[in-house]
Amino acid sequence: MEGKGCCGNFLQRCKPYIAMISLQFGYAGMNIITKVSLNRGMSHYVLVVYRHAFATAVIAPFALLLERKVRPKITFPIFMQLFVLGLLGPVIDQNFYYAGLKFTSPTFSCAMSNMLPAMTFVMAVLCRMEKVEIKKIRCQAKMVGTIVTVAGAMLMTIYKGNVINLVWSQHIHSHTSSPVPAATTSSDKDWLKGSILLILATLAWASFFILQAVTMRRYPAHLSLTAIVCFLGTLQSIAVTFVMEHKASVWTIGWDMNLLAAAYAGIVSSGIAYYVQGLVMQKRGPVFVTAFSPLMMIIVAIMGSFILAEKIYVGGALGAVVIVIGLYAVLWGKYKEYEENKIETIPEPIKSCGEHGHTLAIIDDIEANNHTQLQKIESETNKPAVTISVPIPKKSMTAMETQKA
């Protein structure tokens, strides 16, 4: 029984890590598939609309069935928070991210998104969701890590450098080499534009996490919250697309890579991701949720070099290394803070479960026994007295009279 309990506790502690690692694989696949779809000419505005339409269609039935009894009422303040969530996540973040992805590469986009934990930490401090205690080492690590992460992102934006030739990428380039038109090559100007768009997308995504953590306190129905955000994001994205795209042909979608990109991104990267992130965020906080983006960058770099024959530049590699160093400095400080808070919240009876707790239990048993014994004695002493009269024989009385005479 003890072994099963330890194994169960270990699996319970591992659940948040397993969930977030699985999501990074899902995000990595989304980046590759979306890049192929955008290269084939699909509008990223239309892709965002279809993505969240798929997400709403998948999540809404589960929300209606599973949370019909626990779903709280939507007041006007809660509706405004949900409306802003739909604006920050589906509209601003994803449109800017897809535009930056189109101008750069999947690996570069994922590396830039590693700024997310640092931005989330800064915004959490501004919103008083994180405490800043400068004298403690964990707080210093989080602050230094944030600065290093921003420096790495700036290095990736400003410096591009030479191409890093990998063994498998050279083999792929030799078989897939074809003259690329000048119009399709990304110039330095487009690369800088893409970097700025990715930074704005990351800022919007960090704001989404902060507001989602606040909203879940007042609206704890996770599936319903995810479905409503995806639905509002779909409506807002339709309005933005009508403003930005004036051709009816951009809405055309068939049984091709565009449909796969929209369905995959909607089901995995929006529906499932929003729900899982909400559950993990409720237990470990928004900084923990954003801590696994470097894993996505590594997965995308390997998949992109194999599938897309993607080029990796020196500036991108150096900036990615700097970002990862700063990121894990932030995570180390966050882990130490979580351990301290866990120790401080242990109740007193649990703390005294060792030898002292055993002796205290024995003392309590002795006192209880003494108390019951005292009650028995008091009950016996308080009983009414009973007089017993014994008749005296007459012979004995006459004998006593003769002795006196």
Side-chain angles (χ1 to χ4, degrees):
M1 295 294 292
E2 185 177 356
K4 292 182 180 179
C6 294
C7 183
N9 292 333
F10 176 75
L11 292 176
Q12 194 71 22
R13 290 196 301 267
C14 290
K15 279 184 179 180
Y17 296 91
I18 296 173
M20 295 311 303
I21 291 173
S22 301
L23 279 185
Q24 300 313 310
F25 279 93
Y27 278 134
M30 184 271 296
N31 277 274
I32 299 298
I33 296 173
T34 302
K35 179 64 176 178
V36 175
S37 178
L38 294 175
N39 288 343
R40 293 187 177 186
M42 187 176 187
S43 171
H44 60 83
Y45 298 106
V46 178
L47 179 59
V48 171
V49 174
Y50 285 138
R51 168 178 175 170
H52 289 89
F54 274 106
T56 305
V58 172
I59 297 296
F62 293 97
L64 292 174
L65 292 175
L66 300 178
E67 294 181 345
R68 61 182 182 275
K69 295 182 180 180
V70 297
R71 188 184 304 112
K73 294 182 180 179
I74 299 178
T75 60
F76 182 75
I78 293 177
F79 175 78
M80 291 305 300
Q81 290 181 358
L82 296 174
F83 184 85
V84 176
L85 282 174
L87 187 64
L88 287 174
V91 179
I92 299 177
D93 164 60
Q94 291 176 17
N95 278 298
F96 282 178
Y97 184 82
Y98 285 155
L101 177 65
K102 188 175 183 179
F103 288 131
T104 57
S105 67
T107 304
F108 184 86
S109 301
C110 293
M112 290 294 289
S113 66
N114 287 337
M115 294 178 61
L116 181 61
M119 286 187 176
T120 307
F121 170 69
V122 172
M123 297 186 69
V125 171
L126 295 177
C127 296
R128 295 182 179 180
M129 299 175 66
E130 291 280 340
K131 295 181 180 180
V132 178
E133 299 173 353
I134 302 178
K135 295 182 179 180
K136 293 188 176 181
I137 299 178
R138 58 174 175 80
C139 187
Q140 296 174 3
K142 289 192 290 186
M143 296 178 65
V144 172
T146 302
I147 297 173
V148 171
T149 303
V150 175
M154 296 303 297
L155 176 62
M156 293 183 67
T157 304
I158 297 172
Y159 178 65
K160 192 174 181 180
N162 298 324
V163 178
I164 300 176
N165 295 318
L166 302 175
V167 177
W168 59 83
S169 62
Q170 289 179 356
H171 180 71
I172 294 173
H173 280 298
S174 63
H175 286 279
T176 60
S177 59
S178 58
V180 180
T184 59
T185 58
S186 296
S187 62
D188 292 338
K189 184 177 180 180
D190 291 337
W191 196 271
L192 180 61
K193 185 191 301 183
S195 302
I196 295 173
L197 289 172
L198 290 172
I199 292 174
L200 294 176
T202 307
L203 181 62
W205 192 230
S207 304
F208 178 88
F209 278 114
I210 297 297
L211 184 58
Q212 186 183 18
V214 175
T215 307
M216 283 191 303
R217 298 173 185 173
R218 306 176 64 182
Y219 196 84
H222 303 292
L223 285 171
S224 300
L225 187 145
T226 302
I228 294 172
V229 170
C230 291
F231 177 70
L232 293 176
T234 304
L235 298 180
Q236 294 169 1
S237 300
I238 291 173
V240 172
T241 305
F242 278 135
V243 174
M244 301 302 296
E245 299 286 351
H246 304 287
K247 295 181 180 179
S249 59
V250 298
W251 294 94
T252 305
I253 189 171
W255 296 93
D256 52 6
M257 183 60 70
N258 295 340
L259 179 63
L260 177 61
Y264 182 91
I267 296 171
V268 177
S269 301
S270 289
I272 297 176
Y274 288 169
Y275 176 66
V276 173
Q277 286 170 356
L279 291 178
V280 177
M281 190 185 306
Q282 192 177 25
K283 295 181 179 180
R284 304 299 295 268
V287 179
F288 179 86
V289 172
T290 60
F292 295 85
S293 52
L295 178 61
M296 177 179 63
M297 179 188 66
I298 296 171
I299 298 170
V300 169
I302 296 173
M303 293 175 63
S305 61
F306 274 107
I307 299 173
L308 303 176
E310 180 185 343
K311 296 179 181 179
I312 300 176
Y313 294 93
V314 175
L318 291 176
V321 172
V322 174
I323 287 175
V324 170
I325 293 173
L327 171 67
Y328 281 102
V330 175
L331 293 180
W332 181 85
K334 188 63 181 175
Y335 172 76
K336 291 296 183 183
E337 180 182 1
Y338 175 76
E339 291 294 325
E340 289 182 6
N341 293 335
K342 186 169 67 174
I343 293 173
E344 290 176 358
T345 54
I346 294 176
E348 290 298 326
I350 298 177
K351 288 184 180 180
S352 59
C353 59
E355 296 179 356
H356 297 288
H358 183 64
T359 55
L360 287 175
I362 294 173
I363 293 171
D364 291 337
D365 293 338
I366 295 172
E367 290 179 352
N369 293 331
N370 293 334
H371 183 68
T372 54
Q373 290 177 1
L374 288 173
Q375 286 182 344
K376 289 181 180 179
I377 294 171
E378 289 177 357
S379 62
E380 291 177 356
T381 54
N382 292 329
K383 288 181 180 180
V386 179
T387 57
I388 301 173
S389 59
V390 181
I392 301 173
K394 294 181 178 180
K395 293 182 179 180
S396 59
M397 293 293 294
T398 55
M400 292 175 62
E401 290 177 356
T402 54
Q403 288 178 0
K404 287 182 180 180

